[in-house]
Amino acid sequence: MTRTSFTAIQEYKEAVASLVASCAPLSAELLRLTEEASRDDTPPYSHDTPVVYNTAWDGITEADDIRLIVVGDNPGKEEQLASRRAYLVGQSGRVAEGFFRRNPALGIDFRKNAMITNKTPIHTAKTKHLKYLAAKGSPALASAIQESQLEMARLTAILHQRLFAEGGTRLYMVGYAELKGRGIFLPWRDELVKCYQPCPEAWGAVLAFQHFSMNRFLIDLKEYMGNNGETDTARALDGLGRKHRDEIWPPASGR
């Protein structure tokens, strides 16, 4: 990658690390509430890291070729383990790895060419548990859940626009159930689109998809290809990604 792109990634890493550090005073409360939230619908697991910095970023060097930014929801059970502390390394990540491995024409090695981030670094076993944390936690915690989304949206938009300017990097936003209605990620959704208003060209490279979890991404893509008589995976990804993006952020939303 270019020195400019590498510098952009380094600055992104540092900013997210600072955001994670700012949440440290909430660690005890987060550990207690994530255990409560997961008690009824999640098998017991080791609660290690309440706010997760993606350590995989530290392995990125200037010699690497980052062609894609992938934005998931928030760190889950495997992502927060002390031995992992990385994003999309659980079952969803393995689905993503397999998809790109089976489609070499896309030119993406998921672990080498994609920079993976989230809408918030705050861990829950299931994304919906963030609502429990916001409702049952202190005002400081509710504020942190919202403010972390706003900051991640701003930082991710800046990073993407800088990488896009250097090499046309695309951004895949995966998972949008919580971007609609009264979803927990509405602050991230609204902040992201505002950040692209000065750069509509880069917005054209933002695509939205179902999450990799439960094979929703693959099922949705297969259905889209069948309904549209599309046999080229790259073209189908573009068409489906634009379709979902415009469902979440209608073209009339002011970009």
Side-chain angles (χ1 to χ4, degrees), residues 71 125 128 183 231:
V71 184
K128 67 180 183 179
T231 58

Side-chain angles (χ1 to χ4, degrees), residues 98-108 218 221 233:
F99 170 75
F100 286 105
R101 187 169 54 248
R102 292 190 303 274
N103 291 277
L106 297 174
I108 300 291
L218 301 177
L221 179 61
T233 302

Side-chain angles (χ1 to χ4, degrees), residues 40-54:
D40 293 335
D41 63 5
T42 307
Y45 68 97
S46 177
H47 293 255
D48 295 349
T49 316
V51 189
V52 185
Y53 167 84
N54 187 2

Side-chain angles (χ1 to χ4, degrees), residues 30-50:
L30 280 166
L31 285 170
R32 175 177 60 83
L33 288 172
T34 54
E35 289 179 357
E36 288 180 9
S38 63
R39 195 169 293 152
D40 293 335
D41 63 5
T42 307
Y45 68 97
S46 177
H47 293 255
D48 295 349
T49 316

Side-chain angles (χ1 to χ4, degrees), residues 116-189:
I116 303 164
T117 189
N118 274 317
K119 300 178 183 78
T120 176
I122 296 173
H123 155 71
T124 52
K126 297 182 179 182
T127 298
K128 67 180 183 179
H129 293 168
L130 283 169
K131 294 179 180 178
Y132 182 94
L133 270 59
K136 301 292 185 179
S138 64
L141 178 54
S143 176
I145 291 172
Q146 174 164 311
E147 291 301 319
S148 69
Q149 293 182 48
L150 297 175
E151 183 67 358
M152 291 296 278
R154 288 189 287 262
L155 293 174
T156 301
I158 291 169
L159 174 65
H160 177 228
Q161 288 170 48
R162 292 174 71 179
L163 296 189
F164 176 83
E166 291 291 308
T169 302
R170 294 190 174 194
L171 184 147
Y172 281 14
M173 194 284 296
V174 294
Y176 56 79
E178 293 292 338
L179 293 172
K180 300 177 179 179
R182 301 179 68 181
I184 191 71
F185 291 135
L186 300 189
W188 183 90
R189 179 197 70 184

Side-chain angles (χ1 to χ4, degrees), residues 13-250:
K13 287 166 44 181
E14 292 169 4
V16 176
S18 178
L19 173 63
V20 170
S22 73
C23 295
L26 298 169
S27 293
E29 183 181 12
L30 280 166
L31 285 170
R32 175 177 60 83
L33 288 172
T34 54
E35 289 179 357
E36 288 180 9
S38 63
R39 195 169 293 152
D40 293 335
D41 63 5
T42 307
Y45 68 97
S46 177
H47 293 255
D48 295 349
T49 316
V51 189
V52 185
Y53 167 84
N54 187 2
T55 57
W57 296 336
D58 295 336
I60 298 175
T61 71
E62 195 170 344
D64 289 322
D65 183 12
I66 300 299
R67 305 174 192 169
L68 178 67
I69 297 172
V70 176
V71 184
D73 285 334
N74 69 312
K77 293 185 297 182
E78 293 191 55
E79 286 76 10
Q80 62 84 46
L81 291 174
S83 60
R84 306 299 295 274
R85 289 186 293 122
Y87 298 166
L88 276 177
V89 293
Q91 181 58 33
S92 296
R94 291 187 282 274
V95 170
E97 283 185 59
F99 170 75
F100 286 105
R101 187 169 54 248
R102 292 190 303 274
N103 291 277
L106 297 174
I108 300 291
D109 181 318
F110 192 66
R111 296 302 174 191
K112 293 181 179 179
N113 305 125
M115 183 167 175
I116 303 164
T117 189
N118 274 317
K119 300 178 183 78
T120 176
I122 296 173
H123 155 71
T124 52
K126 297 182 179 182
T127 298
K128 67 180 183 179
H129 293 168
L130 283 169
K131 294 179 180 178
Y132 182 94
L133 270 59
K136 301 292 185 179
S138 64
L141 178 54
S143 176
I145 291 172
Q146 174 164 311
E147 291 301 319
S148 69
Q149 293 182 48
L150 297 175
E151 183 67 358
M152 291 296 278
R154 288 189 287 262
L155 293 174
T156 301
I158 291 169
L159 174 65
H160 177 228
Q161 288 170 48
R162 292 174 71 179
L163 296 189
F164 176 83
E166 291 291 308
T169 302
R170 294 190 174 194
L171 184 147
Y172 281 14
M173 194 284 296
V174 294
Y176 56 79
E178 293 292 338
L179 293 172
K180 300 177 179 179
R182 301 179 68 181
I184 191 71
F185 291 135
L186 300 189
W188 183 90
R189 179 197 70 184
D190 295 341
E191 186 68 16
L192 187 79
V193 73
K194 286 196 298 184
C195 292
Y196 279 88
Q197 288 178 355
C199 192
E201 310 85 27
W203 182 254
V206 174
L207 302 174
F209 299 96
Q210 296 261 24
H211 205 281
F212 295 117
S213 63
M214 306 296 290
N215 284 328
R216 289 187 297 242
F217 173 91
L218 301 177
I219 293 169
D220 194 32
L221 179 61
K222 181 178 180 180
E223 181 177 323
Y224 178 86
M225 294 179 77
N227 290 342
N228 291 275
E230 182 59 80
T231 58
D232 184 275
T233 302
R235 285 199 302 265
L237 285 169
D238 282 350
L240 180 61
R242 288 195 300 270
K243 173 179 178 288
H244 287 322
R245 180 196 65 204
D246 292 345
E247 289 168 354
I248 299 164
W249 296 280

